[in-house]
């Protein structure tokens, strides 16, 4: 790795980018453009594909819980990543994971979808804390929010037409073709990260020089009140959000009987709102305290299930998809910016703990809701999830406000 950013600023996109930051932005931008196809297929259509292939409600719950199950071991990896170059921890798990998506393309049984998703997300549990650490080493801090926003806006723009064509292709020819294309574009996109140049990290506390135990990682929370408030709030809001993920898919495919093209329109709405939010969020977190923006993102995860629960029709699906896009954009950049601010030098450990909590709530939440859907009205489950998210919003808003007044 290079010892530091070679920072001889040149004005690009109205930002003073040095040669290293410009090089990294181009590789990141190109990777995001190719990744857009993988993102649409795997993150938006994979579960509906499995349901159409005969997946049961329990299997749908497992598919929705897979991202969380994979993140249960993130703190163990984070302890290694914090004292090493995070770049290989980002690239190689993604190479293996994206290649695995070929399995359901050739063997379309529901259990293949479930096994592939679990294996993929176990690998993502390695790269998730590494990605947070890598972002601090490839972009200078004053410009990081806007650069990450530009990359994600480009990806979102491409995903709008891609969502429609993937839905149409799946309706006409089945899921095999889109899954194979997703695997190919995913592999090419992650290979572009070999061109990224990472700087040396800023000097960290001495406790980061050795591998931190889980107990030592939790001590970071005890010493950092803003971090504790953040973890409590995101646990409530995140539980509400993950609880309803299988319910969204069940409502769309089984209750409303939407076609893949109609699901594609909902995804297009999601991406339009995601793009607009990314532009605003990337600008906002570089100018204002990130907790202001993050509060709206936490609340958005309560508004989406509220729309589903109160109305339960196709217009509600469209509206909730837009709200979900806004929430995801804020969580994507807002959480990174907030953690960079409240725990500098400990990003990998903090993200490991954040993802561990996500793994705990996300492992049983979707399985619980998919098991209860046959005995509890689906609207009641959706409204309960909305209430959880609004509790998290209140905790974060009140906690950060008190901290600001104390400061």
């Amino acid at each position: 790795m290079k010892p530091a950013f070679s920072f001889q600023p040149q004005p690009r996109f109205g930002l003073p980018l040095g040669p290293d930051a410009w090089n990294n932005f181009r590789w990141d931008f190109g990777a995001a453009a190719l990744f857009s196809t993988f993102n649409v297929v795997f993150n938006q259509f994979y579960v509906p594909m499995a349901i159409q292939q005969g997946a049961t409600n329990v299997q749908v719950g497992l598919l929705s819980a897979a991202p969380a199950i994979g993140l249960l071991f993130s703190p163990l990896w984070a302890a290694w990543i914090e004292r090493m170059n995070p770049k290989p921890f980002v690239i190689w798990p993604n190479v293996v994971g994206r290649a695995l998506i070929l399995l359901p393309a050739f063997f379309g049984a529901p259990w293949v979808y479930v096994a592939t998703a679990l294996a993929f997300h176990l690998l993502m549990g390695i790269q998730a804390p590494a990605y947070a650490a890598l972002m601090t080493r490839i972009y200078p801090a004053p410009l990081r929010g806007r650069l990450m926003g530009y990359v994600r806006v480009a990806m979102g723009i491409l995903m709008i037409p891609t969502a429609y064509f993937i839905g149409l292709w799946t309706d006409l020819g089945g899921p095999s073709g889109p899954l194979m294309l997703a695997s190919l574009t995913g592999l090419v996109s992650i290979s572009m990260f070999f061109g990224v140049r990472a700087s040396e990290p800023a000097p960290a506390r001495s406790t980061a020089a050795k591998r931190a135990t889980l107990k030592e990682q939790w001590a970071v929370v005890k010493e950092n009140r803003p971090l504790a408030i953040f973890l409590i709030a995101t646990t409530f809001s995140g539980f509400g959000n993950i609880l309803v993920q299988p319910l969204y898919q069940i409502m769309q495919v089984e209750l409303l009987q939407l076609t893949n093209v109609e699901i594609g329109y909902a995804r297009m709405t999601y991406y339009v709102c995601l793009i607009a939010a990314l532009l605003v969020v990337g600008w906002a977190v570089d100018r204002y305290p990130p907790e202001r923006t993050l509060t709206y993102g936490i609340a958005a995860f309560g508004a989406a299930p509220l729309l589903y629960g109160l109305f339960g029709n196709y217009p509600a699906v469209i509206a909730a998809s837009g709200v979900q896009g806004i929430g995801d954009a804020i969580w994507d950049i807002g959480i990174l910016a907030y953690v960079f601010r409240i725990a500098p030098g400990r990003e990998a450990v903090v993200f490991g703990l954040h993802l561990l909590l996500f793994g705990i709530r996300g492992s049983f939440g979707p399985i619980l809701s998919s098991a209860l859907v046959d005995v509890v009205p689906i609207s009641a489950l959706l409204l309960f999830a909305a209430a959880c998210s609004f509790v998290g919003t209140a905790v974060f808003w009140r906690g950060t406000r008190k901290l600001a007044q104390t400061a």
Side-chain angles (χ1 to χ4, degrees), residues 118-395:
L118 289 170
F120 175 85
H121 286 293
L122 284 170
L123 291 165
M124 293 307 98
I126 303 172
Q127 76 89 37
Y131 180 81
L134 182 62
M135 287 299 103
T136 66
R137 304 190 189 190
I138 69 173
Y139 291 137
L143 310 176
R144 192 177 296 135
R146 279 166 288 179
L147 292 174
M148 290 191 300
Y150 292 157
V151 167
R152 285 155 176 77
V153 166
M155 183 169 60
I157 291 172
L158 290 171
M159 287 191 291
I160 294 171
T162 302
Y164 173 79
F165 287 112
I166 292 298
L168 181 61
W169 187 6
T170 306
D171 275 341
L172 295 175
S176 294
L179 287 168
M180 286 189 284
L181 178 63
S183 182
L184 175 62
T185 55
L187 287 169
V188 175
S189 68
I190 194 59
S191 69
M192 299 183 77
F193 268 80
F194 284 110
V196 167
R197 294 196 292 264
S199 70
E200 290 286 354
R205 293 168 26 170
S206 59
T207 54
K210 61 183 180 67
R211 184 184 177 190
T213 65
L214 188 59
K215 182 178 179 180
E216 290 169 337
Q217 292 179 53
W218 280 111
V220 176
V221 181
K222 186 177 180 180
E223 299 166 0
N224 191 325
R225 183 170 175 77
L227 177 57
I229 292 170
F230 163 76
L231 292 176
I232 293 170
T234 53
T235 294
F236 274 102
S237 183
F239 175 73
N241 182 56
I242 197 67
L243 184 74
V244 294
Q245 291 306 309
L247 305 183
Y248 292 161
Q249 313 294 343
I250 291 170
M251 282 192 69
Q252 291 172 17
V253 178
E254 296 185 356
L255 300 184
L256 299 177
Q257 296 184 341
L258 304 181
T259 66
N260 284 306
V261 170
E262 288 173 323
I263 294 173
Y265 286 134
R267 300 300 185 261
M268 291 168 70
T269 304
Y270 169 89
Y271 292 128
V272 168
C273 293
L274 180 77
I275 291 167
L278 285 171
L279 287 170
V280 175
V281 173
W283 173 84
V285 298
D286 285 340
R287 288 169 172 78
Y288 303 106
E291 58 267 26
R292 295 185 187 178
T293 305
L294 189 53
T295 302
Y296 294 106
I298 296 173
F301 281 176
L306 186 65
L307 288 168
Y308 269 91
L310 290 179
F311 302 102
N313 53 24
Y314 187 53
V317 171
I318 296 292
S321 295
V323 173
Q324 190 77 27
I326 295 170
D328 284 347
I330 296 174
W331 277 58
D332 185 7
I333 296 180
I335 286 180
L336 285 170
Y338 189 65
V339 169
F340 294 155
R341 180 187 175 194
I342 64 173
R346 310 307 306 274
E347 294 90 355
V349 162
V350 171
F351 265 88
L353 295 173
H354 171 59
L355 297 174
L356 170 64
L357 292 174
F358 171 75
I360 294 171
R361 65 181 180 257
S363 296
F364 72 87
I367 298 172
L368 176 66
S369 62
S370 59
L372 289 175
V373 74
D374 292 328
V375 294
V376 178
I378 194 169
S379 59
L381 293 172
L382 289 162
L383 293 175
F384 172 75
C388 289
S389 293
F390 289 137
V391 168
T393 306
V395 168

Side-chain angles (χ1 to χ4, degrees), residues 94-119:
N94 271 297
V95 168
V96 178
R98 296 177 190 188
L100 288 175
I101 308 305
L102 289 171
L103 291 176
F106 292 106
F107 310 100
W111 68 267
V112 177
Y113 279 84
V114 174
T116 299
L118 289 170

